[in-house]
């Protein structure tokens, strides 16, 4: 219902483009042959792939024209950045592009050969520099970059030898993050509200995992 409400706030042309984009993706998504790899594709499928490439090229051209202008305005002040971000979020950049990137990644995981044949992926790479310049204007960018490099944040102090001086510098690890990390073979545990990585200790001790 929230999506339908948001859809009413979009322009008719933007909504039509989004529907067209989803139609292209649905035509390329392998419904009956998930994971199947083939060196030959039907002319209809190649036609849809060619159409996706042309659509992506036009979208990237528009966004490539918009982002430099948005960046030049947003660099004036944090208030300007907030205003420009709001406008960009409601434009093709904020509505069509995120879903297109996720869809192409999904299609690539299902049928890499077809996506390479279509040739839409290299077109998106041309936007990285524009997006990076705009994102670097965001308030708190330095803090976010440091957190990315020292993820998951709390444990970053153990590797750097620096302790967090106040709560603002501490990155909280959600329960879901901890569970996902442990599912992937990691071994994090929580003691008195702090997250510890005991993976190395697990391999050295004779006690079982359940005791740890």
């Amino acid at each position: 219902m929230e999506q339908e409400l948001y859809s009413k706030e979009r322009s008719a042309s933007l909504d039509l483009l989004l529907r067209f984009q989803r139609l292209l993706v649905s035509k390329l998504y392998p419904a009956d042959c998930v994971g199947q790899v083939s060196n030959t594709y039907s002319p209809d499928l190649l036609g849809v792939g060619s159409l996706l490439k042309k659509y992506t090229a036009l979208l990237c051209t528009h966004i490539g024209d918009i982002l430099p202008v948005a960046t030049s305005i947003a660099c004036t002040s944090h208030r300007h950045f907030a205003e420009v971000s709001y406008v960009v979020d409601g434009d093709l950049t904020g509505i069509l592009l995120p879903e297109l990137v996720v869809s192409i990644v999904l299609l690539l995981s299902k049928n890499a050969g077809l996506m390479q044949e279509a040739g839409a992926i290299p077109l998106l790479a041309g936007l990285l520099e524009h997006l990076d310049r705009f994102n670097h204007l965001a308030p708190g960018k330095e803090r976010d970059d440091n957190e990315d490099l020292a993820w998951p944040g709390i444990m970053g102090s153990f590797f750097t030898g620096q302790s967090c001086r106040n709560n603002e510098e501490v990155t909280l690890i959600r329960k879901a993050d901890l569970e996902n990390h442990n599912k992937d073979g990691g071994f994090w545990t929580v003691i008195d509200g702090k997250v510890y990585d005991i993976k190395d200790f697990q391999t050295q001790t004779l006690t079982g995992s359940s005791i740890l």
Side-chain angles (χ1 to χ4, degrees):
M1 292 178 64
E2 292 177 355
Q3 290 179 349
E4 288 300 321
L5 180 63
Y6 184 61
S7 176
K8 293 178 181 178
E9 297 176 356
R10 292 194 298 257
S11 66
S13 58
L14 191 56
D15 196 59
L16 182 63
L17 282 172
L18 183 59
R19 291 174 183 269
F20 175 70
Q21 176 176 298
R22 290 173 177 174
L23 179 63
L24 289 176
V25 173
S26 67
K27 293 294 184 182
L28 291 171
Y29 190 83
D32 301 325
C33 54
V34 177
Q36 180 178 342
V37 179
S38 174
N39 294 326
T40 58
Y41 305 102
S42 67
D44 291 343
L45 206 56
L46 291 176
V48 176
S50 177
L51 198 57
L52 177 65
K53 179 181 180 181
K54 188 171 293 186
Y55 168 81
T56 304
L58 292 172
L59 182 63
C60 289
T61 299
H62 171 80
I63 296 175
D65 292 338
I66 292 294
L67 282 179
V69 179
T71 302
S72 64
I73 300 174
C75 68
T76 308
S77 67
H78 290 335
R79 186 179 67 83
H80 283 82
F81 178 83
E83 293 292 338
V84 170
S85 297
Y86 179 78
V87 174
V88 170
D89 190 49
D91 185 60
L92 306 183
T93 310
I95 296 176
L96 299 181
L97 183 62
E99 187 170 315
L100 178 64
V101 171
V102 172
S103 299
I104 287 182
V105 170
L106 177 64
L107 290 171
L108 186 64
S109 68
K110 296 297 182 181
N111 198 331
L114 178 60
M115 293 309 298
Q116 290 175 358
E117 190 79 21
I121 299 175
L123 299 173
L124 293 171
L127 294 178
L128 291 178
E129 186 176 350
H130 294 303
L131 290 168
D132 197 48
R133 287 178 181 172
F134 183 79
N135 289 332
H136 269 68
L137 297 176
K141 181 264 301 180
E142 292 82 4
R143 184 190 65 230
D144 293 339
D145 282 350
N146 290 333
E147 289 175 357
D148 288 341
L149 293 173
W151 191 88
I154 292 178
M155 293 167 55
S157 60
F158 294 107
F159 298 108
T160 60
Q162 300 173 352
S163 60
C164 296
R165 287 173 291 182
N166 55 58
N167 292 333
E168 292 180 357
E169 297 177 355
V170 176
T171 300
L172 297 180
I173 299 177
R174 300 172 302 172
K175 182 180 179 182
D177 295 332
L178 185 141
E179 292 174 348
N180 289 333
H181 179 81
N182 289 346
K183 285 179 181 178
D184 293 334
F187 207 131
W188 287 354
T189 187
V190 180
I191 303 173
D192 294 334
K194 293 186 174 68
V195 178
Y196 295 90
D197 187 351
I198 58 174
K199 180 68 176 178
D200 293 338
F201 182 74
Q202 177 197 10
T203 60
Q204 298 172 8
T205 182
L206 298 178
T207 59
S209 299
S210 57
I211 296 178
L212 291 179

